[in-house]
Amino acid sequence: MQASNLEIIKLNNLKLAAKIISEQLKHGVHLGKRVGVGSEFEQYRYYEPGDDPKRIDWKYFSRSGKYMIKESQTESHLHVRVMLDLSGSMNYEEDGIKRLDYAKNLIASLSYLAHQQGDSLTYFTFQDGKIEQKVSASPKSFQRILYYLETETAAGTWPVLKKEFPVLKSKQRELIILVSDFLQKDNEWLDIVEQMRHPKKEIVLFQILGKQEEKFDLKGNFHFHDLESDRSIILDGKAIDKTYNDSIKNYLSGFKQSLILPQVHLFQARLTDSIAGLISKFLAERSLS
């Protein structure tokens, strides 16, 4: 019998939780098949800006007119950049599970998988309009990520005003994992994704939401508290449910549509969704891509 999210979070031990979650996975501990330059042919893919032109299969081009590159399975390691939103809305809680705790356990588990297969890890946080790198790549990156995750707190807001972040614009080949609720006033999170995009990067976004955030269906008067602005208001649930539900449905659908981009993957999950199940879904999709 698998441990529930609440049971895992109540352990208050991210390293143990990561090991338990990894054992629950059906697809083993690998973040996915990796391909690169090697001797054993694995598959073709289209040439992308930044690829070495020498890798183009010119014989294939002469037959098809298509610029294709041969890829082969290799044992080369991956660089994984894990990123966590620490704005105030990450303090949202439902049924005893806080979004921030869910995110911490998800990141700890993904970092554990990367660490187990020898990938290099770095760790960044988003808070109050600043992106901070807290862990650099080293043999002890996983342990240092756990150290920071244990004490991270969420507060403040992420500004709507667009800002350039050079730290997001590296051109190295890497897997980027960003965990957030991705609730935005304008397009601030879409701007972040756009800055990170590069042919050598694969971007994976985990959007974690509560059931009542996706579909509000409670009756009576409620005290609504904005976790980022700290403003409060009392409203009748029945009076706002249709307007709210229509708005959030349109937002989530539009957000998902905006992220149908090459090398970008969005996973929308609820706080009640099994962390192991969410990672398993990610691994399954990645192995097919």
Side-chain angles (χ1 to χ4, degrees):
M1 183 175 179
Q2 291 191 351
S4 69
N5 290 342
L6 187 57
E7 290 171 330
I8 288 172
I9 289 170
K10 281 186 173 180
L11 289 172
N12 199 30
N13 185 322
L14 290 175
K15 187 173 184 179
L16 176 58
K19 290 182 178 180
I20 291 173
I21 290 170
S22 71
E23 289 172 1
Q24 293 177 353
L25 296 175
K26 297 177 181 179
H27 297 280
V29 298
H30 296 286
L31 289 183
K33 183 184 294 184
R34 297 194 288 284
V35 291
V37 181
S39 58
E40 183 182 353
F41 175 67
E42 181 71 23
Q43 64 182 12
Y44 278 110
R45 71 167 173 82
Y46 283 101
Y47 171 82
E48 297 174 344
D51 288 328
D52 185 348
K54 294 178 181 178
R55 294 180 60 199
I56 295 173
D57 188 329
W58 294 108
K59 289 184 179 180
Y60 188 96
F61 172 77
S62 67
R63 297 194 306 268
S64 67
K66 297 178 180 179
Y67 294 97
M68 305 296 287
I69 284 179
K70 279 185 176 182
E71 288 192 326
S72 59
Q73 190 171 349
T74 72
E75 296 302 319
S76 60
H77 296 305
L78 191 65
H79 175 69
V80 182
R81 183 198 299 224
V82 290
M83 312 181 85
L84 175 61
D85 174 15
L86 288 178
S87 56
S89 62
M90 294 297 286
N91 288 319
Y92 179 80
E93 184 175 339
E94 258 188 36
D95 299 324
I97 299 176
K98 184 181 289 188
R99 180 161 33 232
L100 182 59
D101 290 332
Y102 188 108
K104 286 181 178 183
N105 281 273
L106 174 61
I107 286 179
S109 301
L110 290 167
S111 298
Y112 177 73
L113 298 184
H115 174 69
Q116 286 293 99
Q117 64 187 39
D119 294 329
S120 65
L121 283 159
T122 54
Y123 171 60
F124 295 74
T125 57
F126 292 75
Q127 192 168 40
D128 288 327
K130 297 178 182 178
I131 299 176
E132 182 179 355
Q133 179 173 356
K134 295 183 175 176
V135 177
S136 300
S138 77
K140 295 186 177 180
S141 291
F142 173 61
Q143 289 80 3
R144 290 185 58 77
I145 289 173
L146 292 183
Y147 168 80
Y148 279 103
L149 286 176
E150 294 282 2
T151 57
E152 297 287 29
T153 57
T157 186
W158 189 259
V160 174
L161 184 65
K162 186 174 180 179
K163 182 179 178 182
E164 296 296 315
F165 295 99
V167 72
L168 298 178
K169 298 182 178 182
S170 71
K171 295 181 179 180
Q172 71 178 112
R173 188 173 298 277
E174 62 182 349
L175 169 64
I176 298 174
I177 295 172
L178 172 54
V179 184
S180 171
D181 54 27
F182 294 112
L183 298 177
Q184 56 185 7
K185 296 176 183 177
D186 195 5
N187 289 319
E188 52 266 34
W189 285 113
L190 293 176
D191 289 339
I192 290 293
V193 173
E194 191 57 37
Q195 289 190 53
M196 292 192 294
R197 288 184 63 208
H198 187 274
K200 291 184 178 180
K201 296 180 183 180
E202 181 180 359
I203 302 171
V204 179
L205 310 171
F206 288 99
Q207 183 176 34
I208 313 302
L209 297 170
K211 178 182 177 182
Q212 292 301 324
E213 287 182 302
E214 281 196 272
K215 185 176 182 181
F216 184 80
D217 61 1
L218 301 177
K219 305 296 185 290
N221 290 327
F222 290 90
H223 181 208
F224 293 91
H225 181 212
D226 188 326
L227 295 169
E228 294 195 5
S229 69
D230 210 32
R231 291 182 298 177
S232 297
I233 190 172
I234 297 176
L235 294 171
D236 175 58
K238 182 62 178 176
I240 67 164
D241 61 358
K242 186 178 188 311
T243 301
Y244 174 85
N245 290 331
D246 287 346
S247 296
I248 193 68
K249 181 180 179 180
N250 290 336
Y251 168 67
L252 294 176
S253 175
F255 186 71
K256 186 175 183 179
Q257 192 70 26
S258 297
L259 291 168
I260 300 177
L261 300 166
Q263 299 290 94
V264 177
H265 312 277
L266 173 66
F267 294 88
Q268 294 174 314
R270 285 183 172 179
L271 289 169
T272 50
D273 289 345
S274 159
I275 296 174
L278 178 58
I279 296 176
S280 180
K281 181 180 178 181
F282 156 61
L283 295 177
E285 182 171 313
R286 192 155 191 271
S287 67
L288 295 174
S289 61

